Amino acid sequence: MLTTTTNTIDGRRITQYFGIVSGEASFGANISRDFFGRVRDVVGVLGNHQKSVGDLIDTAIAEMVSKAQQSGADAVIGVDIDYESGSSKGGVLFTVIATGTAVRLE
């Protein structure tokens, strides 16, 4: 399925709008365990979290695309990726939300 951050697709005409679709994915990390427990390997831990955020983006987009396909769309336009984080009791929760407009193209 075609996904784009733009509101149009060059050379293609939008024939039907199905509305907003979204997908989200979350990842929890225990700061004290992951960082302070492995002081000697902080670079490796940060690399693992960076990979996790990339995986979150892929998961959120895949969920959004799945919902678009279920509605009968063949593209998602105006895609936006938002990030949120929160913390409690020494842990951090990262959430990635992908939203866009499901459309059918000519």
Side-chain angles (χ1 to χ4, degrees):
M1 172 169 293
L2 183 59
T3 59
T4 181
T5 58
T6 62
N7 292 321
T8 60
I9 298 172
D10 287 342
R12 304 289 299 269
R13 188 170 75 85
I14 296 170
T15 60
Q16 187 173 3
Y17 290 85
F18 293 96
I20 297 169
V21 289
S22 65
E24 83 175 49
S26 297
F27 171 78
N30 184 310
I31 296 299
S32 60
R33 185 190 70 218
D34 290 350
F35 289 101
F36 300 118
R38 300 181 195 168
V39 172
R40 63 183 167 77
D41 193 25
V42 170
V43 174
V45 173
L46 290 174
N48 288 341
H49 287 299
Q50 186 175 21
K51 182 181 183 318
S52 295
V53 172
D55 291 344
L56 290 178
I57 293 168
D58 293 343
T59 300
I61 291 172
E63 183 178 316
M64 178 191 66
V65 165
S66 176
K67 289 178 181 177
Q69 289 171 327
Q70 291 171 13
S71 72
D74 56 12
V76 181
I77 61 171
V79 173
D80 182 52
I81 307 294
D82 290 316
Y83 306 87
E84 295 182 13
S85 65
S87 64
S88 69
K89 298 181 183 180
V92 176
L93 179 66
F94 298 101
T95 302
V96 175
I97 302 165
T99 58
T101 302
V103 298
R104 179 171 295 144
L105 302 171
E106 184 172 58

